[in-house]
Amino acid sequence: MKSSFTGLVQRLRQFSRSAAQDAPTLPPAHDAVTAEFARPITLTINGEVFRVNVATGRTLLDLLRYDLGLTGTKENCRMGSCGACTVLIDGRAIKSCLTLTIRLQGKHIQTVEGLINKDGSLDPLQQAFVQQAGFQCGYCTPGFLMMSKEILDTNPSPSEDEIREGLVGNICRCTGYGQIIEAVLAASRIQVVPEGKSLKDE
Amino acid sequence: MNKYKAIGKPTPRIDGAKIVSGVAEYTADLRLPNMLIGKIVRSPLRHARILNVDTSRAEALLGVKAVVTAKDTLRIPYDFLPKDAPIQREKYPLAVDKVCHVGDEVAAVAAVDQDTALEALDLIRVDYEELPAVFDPEEAMQPGAPRIHAVEHNIAVYIEKEYGSVQEGFRRSDVIVEGRFATQAVAHCTMEPHCCLVKPEPGDYYTIWNSTQNPNWNRIELANVLGIPLSNIRVMPAYVGGGFGGKSKIGFIEAPCCLLARKSRRPVKIMLTSEEEFTVAGHRLPFVIYMRTGARNDGTLMAREARVIADSGAYSFVSPTIVGNSLGKFFSLFRCPNIKMDARLVYTNKSPSLPFRGFGTAQIGVAMDSQMDELAERLGMDPVELVLKNANQAGEVTPGGYRLTSCGFRECVTRAAEAIGWKKNAGKGSGRFKRGIGFGTSMLVSGAKVYWDVDCAGAIIKIDDDGGVVLITSAIEIGTGSSTILAQIAAEELGVGVGNIRTIIGDSAVAPWDIPGASADRTTLIAGNAVRKAAHRVRTLLLEVASEMLQVKAEDLTLEDGKIFVRSEPANSLTIAEVGRRTILNRAGDGVLASYIYNSPAERFDFARGVGDISAGYNFACHAVEVEVDSQTGRVRVLKVAAAHDLGRTINPLLAEGQIRGGFAQGMGMALYEELCFKNGEVMNPNYMDYKLPLSEDAPQAVLPIFVETNEEKGPFGAKGLGESPTVASVAAIINAIHHAAGVRIRELPATPEKTYKALKATAA
């Protein structure tokens, strides 16, 4: 049973590869087989419009990291339990490893690469994470930054407990969370302060 | 008062912008043109003889470019420890005759994409003859137990050592406490999985990017198992997403990856899945400890005896030295005239145990600190007084052979006790929520000369044409902020601002030899000394050339804030850039460039006698932890921590605090939550939902770092290591705190709510 199914897949591969040679040029799907089953999607990522052909099963995480080279968003558990893949979709934090790209027609995605200001300076959250040492190995940091952004965008002056609760879906193995929470608190203070001034924590 | 300009300042990470903008590259992010995806074929059985491996159907699959088995190797086993170390060498890159645990590496495939590689795995057919298996180390030692390797009673290593006479010591003790302790398999849970990318060149050359703490050890091991010269292997730097000891030696993916790259003649990348991280990537060496401690009525320790059974899993890897390190601590921490330990490292049919932050000292520390606490109770003594009475002091040489040139242990204990409010809050809580305070201690090395006669690191410092300083180091950034710490040391010695220094983590062909990498709390002391001495050479050269330019004696010059000037005449100055350019013009052949390889002055561990002053400095710690026990559910919450650390000199308090808070979280995880649950040799909870580790809601309300600066003369600006102690000092502190809060002593970790609740019910009954 298994060998005949494998044989079927092999024959389909050979068929699709020869068919693909005649097909019009399209933006690449992730391999020749799924080109058969790919659909075009238009979505905005960090302000830039992308038109991509994606297979139905292509996650946003894999689109970002493998198809578009945006490796700032990290992969780890790939099952929604660690938070390393967190990005914002229309301002809401989601786990990109569990999100199907084909459902994102017309959506606005923001990843860690999109946090930086247009002039190349770090945004308040990024600044605060650097100043407060809110990271060590840094692998979980993009996920924490995006989750923190949603927290601060919806609640500009959160309490420590609210920050703690908001970040419970992101795992950090290095910091013990203390300096991450302090970074988010510090960022919230940078944001509410009038332009031209900044508060420094002692 | 801090007389330094860069040392002791809470300096944010100089590479921080890269991390928070998502451009720092980890091996998991890297891609090369023409790259193949590699996957490993693993044994589904716990213990079996390999009868036949048929790879033909996988090789025929379109898109598969290479399949390798033991036939493609020289059948040379990994050789993790020196030739004279009395250990077994049982692990092959790909299994030759048998498999010894679920997940054991049998073959590997490389294909054009992940889906094809996964399909190929299913097409490889391995015929096994299943063998009886054993999973518990105490059972594995019994006569008649299944034999895993060619050793009697599955004992990979047996170590025995006595100092004085424990029989005599116990005879002279007024009080003796005794107990069995057990620590569990803890998973490292690095956020970046194990990952390596190998690019081959004709002639058996390999360029490797690897998520590793130890590039040069990788090279040694790969050269050994592949049968090629060391210099054929070049390891390139990348950010490492966590190690904690799980990546401190070669993993088991690098060699198969090289074999695939060689056979396919294309770059190959292997990244472990999250499930593989839990099932095969290793875990902390579980200890069963039978310990006895005896003391006089006045609290003087008279005798300590420990019998240790450590669960190696299927391969011993470097576990012999982990056991040896726990012995070193047992014979060193606290003064005691009579000490005995015998330890057995035992094979079982489970995935192999690996180094993990603490390297054996966390496990033995649970028993040691618990018994100190028990003794204090039996003696009617304040546990802090008991610890202080037997605490090591500077100038001692321990029975383990450690020369304590600096030791701030007593100060750590008193300051931690004071900070947590010990005298004020002593006494159990009442009602449903019971609060209590407990203490834990730690003693660790700053570098350890065990494997070779070198424990070294190097640095190259050069001045760019604009006066910018480039520091090339092989110290890997695994999250400790080593690049920043080393830049601070260079800045202080040179006389420039930290912002003028760019730390480049060099690839192994460029950066000096550094062995054994980011492990054993060694980077600050060993790499730091190399940086300081290289910076001193550069400074000397700059002052020499400047003295020629200014026509003054070099002794009259000083270098501060990037300017070289005459002390008595600051206006008469030159910039480093000006001097740098002149050096090229005036001194044919020289640029402003200097290097230094620093080798620890410690003595090498003597395997035969079981002693050695293996480190240039020993760091001490004491944690005081306040917990709250919910007697209705058994749940334990950590409220506050006072964490006192003798680290010699605090180079960067901001980053040191991070090590303390992060290390504490790992200790808390080990004490309260974490356990890889094996059943019949298989991990039952190989994911983050079923393996509970600390989340943001579990972090304590307050962690107060206390830095005790003892100014170790052998360290750069007096600094020693720090990174592992916070984990070690935390575990027993929490266990002791539970006892002080609720009157129950948990001896088998972790102290889950279920265990604590049952213990509470048992004492109430």
Side-chain angles (χ1 to χ4, degrees), chain A residues 112-125:
Chain A
V112 65
E113 290 97 336
L115 281 181
I116 205 157
N117 293 325
K118 292 248 185 314
D119 64 0
S121 60
L122 299 178
D123 94 330
L125 256 178

Side-chain angles (χ1 to χ4, degrees), chain B residues 705-765:
Chain B
I706 299 163
F707 301 120
V708 173
E709 296 191 312
T710 53
N711 196 19
E712 167 55 57
E713 66 200 9
K714 285 173 256 137
F717 301 102
K720 296 187 277 195
L722 167 69
E724 294 179 66
S725 278
T727 296
V728 178
S730 303
V731 190
I734 293 171
I735 298 299
N736 284 340
I738 294 172
H739 178 75
H740 281 265
V744 296
R745 189 166 292 286
I746 308 294
R747 292 192 178 83
E748 278 197 29
L749 265 52
T752 56
E754 186 183 348
K755 258 185 220 159
T756 311
Y757 178 76
K758 283 186 178 165
L760 282 167
K761 296 262 341 183
T763 49

Side-chain angles (χ1 to χ4, degrees), chain B residues 366-528:
Chain B
V366 171
M368 286 168 73
D369 285 334
S370 291
Q371 292 211 327
M372 288 298 273
D373 197 54
E374 277 184 86
L375 263 179
E377 195 176 36
R378 289 274 299 275
L379 291 168
M381 253 180 107
D382 180 336
V384 173
E385 291 310 313
L386 180 64
V387 168
L388 286 173
K389 190 162 183 74
N390 298 284
N392 306 90
Q393 305 205 59
E396 287 175 18
V397 179
T398 73
Y402 299 170
R403 243 165 245 284
L404 308 181
T405 41
S406 64
C407 174
F409 190 30
R410 293 179 61 87
E411 194 179 337
C412 287
V413 176
T414 49
R415 286 178 68 179
E418 192 187 310
I420 202 81
W422 170 241
K423 288 244 181 318
K424 284 202 303 247
N425 296 340
K428 297 195 193 345
S430 55
R432 174 179 165 184
F433 293 97
K434 302 176 187 304
R435 294 189 173 188
I437 294 174
F439 290 84
T441 64
S442 172
M443 173 196 205
L444 272 161
V445 297
S446 301
K449 201 178 276 185
V450 173
Y451 308 103
W452 304 274
D453 49 9
V454 292
D455 177 10
C456 68
I460 298 172
I461 297 188
K462 58 177 203 158
I463 307 286
D464 253 337
D465 197 49
D466 64 349
V469 180
V470 180
L471 161 61
I472 301 173
T473 172
S474 38
I476 293 290
E477 178 59 77
I478 58 167
T480 54
S482 51
S483 299
T484 304
I485 305 270
L486 296 176
Q488 288 176 263
I489 291 173
E492 190 70 49
E493 186 65 32
L494 262 180
V496 301
V498 180
N500 283 90
I501 302 196
R502 192 165 172 83
T503 305
I504 305 291
I505 299 169
D507 77 62
S508 63
V510 171
W513 185 247
D514 174 334
I515 198 82
S519 63
D521 294 328
R522 63 188 289 278
T523 301
T524 300
L525 194 149
I526 310 266

Side-chain angles (χ1 to χ4, degrees), chain B residues 27-268:
Chain B
T27 311
D29 302 327
L30 298 179
R31 234 156 301 281
L32 286 175
N34 225 20
M35 186 179 84
L36 300 172
I37 301 297
K39 286 279 172 194
I40 303 210
V41 178
R42 300 184 179 282
S43 164
L45 302 174
R46 301 115 189 82
H47 194 199
R49 211 164 278 132
I50 298 174
L51 299 174
N52 188 46
V53 184
D54 178 1
T55 61
S56 55
R57 288 160 74 224
E59 288 173 55
L61 180 62
L62 186 68
V64 171
K65 300 302 178 186
V67 181
V68 293
T69 65
K71 286 207 295 281
D72 298 281
T73 71
L74 296 171
R75 291 183 165 83
I76 299 173
Y78 290 109
D79 188 10
F80 301 108
L81 296 178
K83 298 274 181 270
D84 55 354
I87 57 139
Q88 309 305 315
R89 290 156 178 87
E90 353 80 344
K91 172 69 181 168
Y92 293 86
L94 294 170
V96 175
D97 297 320
K98 57 188 274 188
V99 292
C100 301
H101 67 92
V102 175
D104 206 347
E105 290 83 3
V106 178
V109 306
V112 292
D113 58 36
Q114 171 143 297
D115 289 341
T116 311
L118 286 171
E119 199 181 323
L121 289 186
D122 286 340
L123 295 177
I124 291 180
R125 186 183 149 147
V126 186
D127 295 324
Y128 295 104
E129 178 196 327
E130 196 158 3
L131 299 168
V134 62
F135 311 111
D136 176 87
E138 287 176 289
E139 273 176 42
M141 289 196 299
Q142 302 308 318
R147 200 152 138 155
I148 303 176
H149 298 293
V151 291
E152 290 297 314
H153 303 299
N154 289 312
I155 296 175
V157 159
Y158 174 69
I159 305 174
E160 187 181 21
K161 188 176 162 69
E162 183 164 16
Y163 174 75
S165 161
V166 291
Q167 194 178 34
E168 188 55 28
F170 283 119
R171 204 181 56 75
R172 293 165 64 194
S173 301
D174 298 315
V175 170
I176 299 175
V177 296
E178 184 159 1
R180 177 187 188 273
F181 298 84
T183 68
Q184 76 281 43
V186 184
H188 298 78
C189 297
T190 59
M191 287 295 106
E192 184 199 13
H194 288 74
C195 186
C196 74
L197 168 57
V198 177
K199 181 172 127 178
E201 277 173 49
D204 251 345
Y205 289 94
Y206 301 93
T207 305
I208 301 174
W209 291 260
N210 194 9
S211 187
T212 180
Q213 297 168 237
N214 209 334
N216 283 298
W217 191 309
N218 285 184
R219 297 173 70 212
I220 295 174
E221 271 308 322
L222 283 172
N224 173 46
V225 297
L226 298 176
I228 60 178
L230 178 82
S231 38
N232 280 28
I233 302 165
R234 183 177 181 186
V235 180
M236 305 294 287
Y239 275 88
V240 178
F244 320 119
K247 297 173 183 170
S248 68
K249 315 290 184 279
I250 197 171
F252 298 128
I253 58 172
E254 296 91 334
C257 204
C258 286
L259 293 167
L260 290 170
R262 174 201 272 165
K263 200 165 192 183
S264 64
R265 294 191 296 281
R266 286 167 68 161
V268 178

Side-chain angles (χ1 to χ4, degrees), chain A residues 68-81:
Chain A
L68 302 179
L70 290 166
T71 55
T73 307
K74 303 303 180 198
E75 62 181 295
N76 181 14
C77 76
R78 298 179 67 91
M79 57 194 283
S81 57

